[in-house]
Amino acid sequence: MKNKTSFLPREEEAQPSRCPDNTAFKQQRLPAWKPQLTIASVLSSFFLTGAFCLTVGVCLVLSANSVREIQIDYSDKCSDCSRLRENSSNWNKECHCSVNFTLKEAILGDVFMYYGLQNFFQNHRRYVMSRSNAQLLGRNVHIQRSYCMPFSTYRNGTPMVPCGAIANSMFNDTIDLFYSRNSSVIQVPLLKTGNSWWTDKNVKFRNPESYNLSSAFAGTARPPYWHKPVYLLDEEDERNNGFVNDDFIIWMRVSAFSTFRNLYRRVSRVRHFAEGLPAGNYTFRIAYNFPVARFKGRKHVILSTVVWSGGSNPFLGIAYLVTGTAATLTGFVITGIHLKLRKKKTYFQKQ
């Protein structure tokens, strides 16, 4: 009688073993730290995490609530200028409007002025990519082909500087602040430099090397929506002109949300404003250049102070409070489950 095993295929007879090699690594015999999760260590972790998050959250919320802020919407108050700007043929006509407001209490400390836009989407992929970093670094001003299309060159071949949709849509309203004091009107001194990040001002943006900016940008033209070329953004201060202009740098840092604010000016603490903005009547005088009606947008001016945690945004503090509350409640739930199971175990042991 023949052996039945001889009828098995040769491949099955020679099938290798699936067992891992007998080594310390593959058999998990290497020395390792294996934490022992006891009820004391687990509960202490949850309660300590909850206490830490609740403490930080309370501090952040109290800090955010201590910020003094006033926000003024001037979209409707400058409606005449808005209608004028909707017609592109009026781009060279100036239009000014005034907005009055009253500070019942003084705003002490450093005061920052922001401009805010609503319903302006900067997070579109083509909009975000519509720029030339080589041009902004001053390496090649005469960009011909780049992501800036269609805002790279005019029909006659003249390159736009700066190119791209971000630069072309730069916010260009001019906002001045005046203070009424004893029947006299005093212009509040505002600082237009020192508002951008140091890395932006000194690393990411550079003017082309030349004995003057006008010659450096020779043979180029301003973007279609600009009123003046890039080398005339600040004629009073060469260190704030061209690609290193603070207003331009801040605008080029796009926002992820449709409603955002950008730092515009800082109040210079001199003379009547050494302690901040005193209580009284104020007036914003605005040179209206930035149209928003076509995309149903709104424009604001914000005066605000800052604290160690930033501006008046309580989101981070609320997030810490929610996390701390969840960790603390989880600790109490685990404590209840542990006590219940321990009572059952004690009961059965007595039985």
Side-chain angles (χ1 to χ4, degrees), residues 43 58 81 170 175 244 254 256 278 308 314-315:
L43 289 179
V58 169
C81 292
M170 177 181 169
I175 306 173
V244 294
V254 298
W308 62 271
F315 173 78

Side-chain angles (χ1 to χ4, degrees), residues 10 42 60 165 173 179 209 258 261 287 310 322:
R10 291 181 178 272
V42 172
L60 289 174
D173 282 1
Y179 171 53
E209 295 182 1
S258 61
R261 64 175 64 177
V322 171

Side-chain angles (χ1 to χ4, degrees), residues 111-342:
V111 182
F112 298 82
M113 179 189 293
Y114 301 82
Y115 62 85
L117 291 177
Q118 184 177 342
N119 205 37
F120 189 95
F121 291 85
Q122 289 187 313
N123 54 6
H124 192 280
R125 177 176 175 273
R126 292 189 61 186
Y127 182 88
V128 173
M129 296 179 63
S130 184
R131 59 186 292 165
S132 172
N133 292 324
Q135 186 187 70
L136 297 176
L137 285 170
R139 296 174 182 172
N140 186 6
V141 176
H142 298 77
I143 294 292
Q144 297 292 334
R145 295 182 180 180
S146 67
Y147 289 111
C148 291
M149 293 294 293
F151 299 101
S152 58
T153 59
Y154 286 95
R155 293 182 179 180
N156 59 1
T158 305
M160 300 180 189
V161 177
C163 70
I166 307 176
N168 184 56
S169 60
M170 177 181 169
F171 182 86
N172 57 353
D173 282 1
T174 301
I175 306 173
D176 294 317
L177 180 61
F178 293 86
Y179 171 53
S180 299
R181 181 177 182 270
N182 298 330
S183 68
S184 62
V185 178
I186 303 172
Q187 183 171 4
V188 179
L190 301 175
L191 300 174
K192 57 184 177 181
T193 58
N195 300 324
S196 59
W197 294 357
W198 185 91
T199 52
D200 289 345
K201 188 84 171 181
N202 297 276
V203 178
K204 296 183 179 181
F205 293 84
R206 283 281 191 275
N207 282 325
E209 295 182 1
S210 180
Y211 63 92
N212 61 40
L213 284 181
S214 59
S215 62
F217 293 105
T220 65
R222 57 177 175 79
Y225 291 171
W226 282 32
H227 294 167
K228 52 188 176 181
V230 65
Y231 55 86
L232 295 179
L233 289 179
D234 190 353
E235 301 178 72
E236 300 176 357
D237 188 356
E238 293 182 357
R239 296 171 299 176
N240 190 45
N241 204 1
F243 290 150
V244 294
N245 178 263
D246 275 36
D247 293 338
F248 174 70
I249 291 174
I250 291 173
W251 177 260
M252 293 299 291
R253 191 188 316 126
V254 298
S255 173
F257 303 99
S258 61
T259 299
F260 60 92
R261 64 175 64 177
N262 285 334
L263 181 60
Y264 181 68
R265 296 289 185 267
R266 292 177 294 124
V267 175
S268 179
R269 299 178 64 176
V270 294
R271 298 190 298 276
H272 305 291
F273 313 98
E275 301 297 327
L277 290 180
N281 297 321
Y282 290 84
T283 301
F284 281 123
R285 292 183 183 175
I286 303 166
Y288 198 104
N289 298 309
F290 194 85
V292 295
R294 288 190 177 181
F295 57 88
K296 299 180 181 179
R298 311 287 297 181
K299 294 194 290 187
H300 308 83
V301 184
I302 303 104
L303 294 174
S304 175
T305 60
V306 296
V307 290
W308 62 271
S309 60
S312 61
N313 188 355
F315 173 78
L316 186 60
I318 294 174
Y320 268 100
L321 290 176
V322 171
T323 303
T325 303
T328 304
L329 291 177
T330 303
F332 281 115
V333 171
I334 294 176
T335 302
I337 294 174
H338 171 68
L339 294 176
K340 185 177 181 180
L341 293 178
R342 189 174 64 175

Side-chain angles (χ1 to χ4, degrees), residues 63-133:
S63 176
N65 291 336
S66 65
V67 173
R68 290 290 309 279
E69 179 177 299
I70 178 172
Q71 179 172 310
I72 297 175
D73 188 327
Y74 66 94
S75 304
D76 296 331
K77 296 179 180 180
C78 298
S79 57
D80 294 339
C81 292
S82 177
R83 285 190 292 268
L84 179 70
R85 286 288 172 256
E86 290 306 314
N87 188 348
S88 59
S89 61
N90 298 324
W91 67 271
N92 58 344
K93 296 181 180 180
E94 294 184 359
C95 188
H96 297 81
C97 59
S98 300
V99 180
N100 300 320
F101 66 98
T102 302
L103 285 181
K104 297 181 179 180
E105 297 180 1
I107 302 180
L108 302 179
D110 294 329
V111 182
F112 298 82
M113 179 189 293
Y114 301 82
Y115 62 85
L117 291 177
Q118 184 177 342
N119 205 37
F120 189 95
F121 291 85
Q122 289 187 313
N123 54 6
H124 192 280
R125 177 176 175 273
R126 292 189 61 186
Y127 182 88
V128 173
M129 296 179 63
S130 184
R131 59 186 292 165
S132 172
N133 292 324

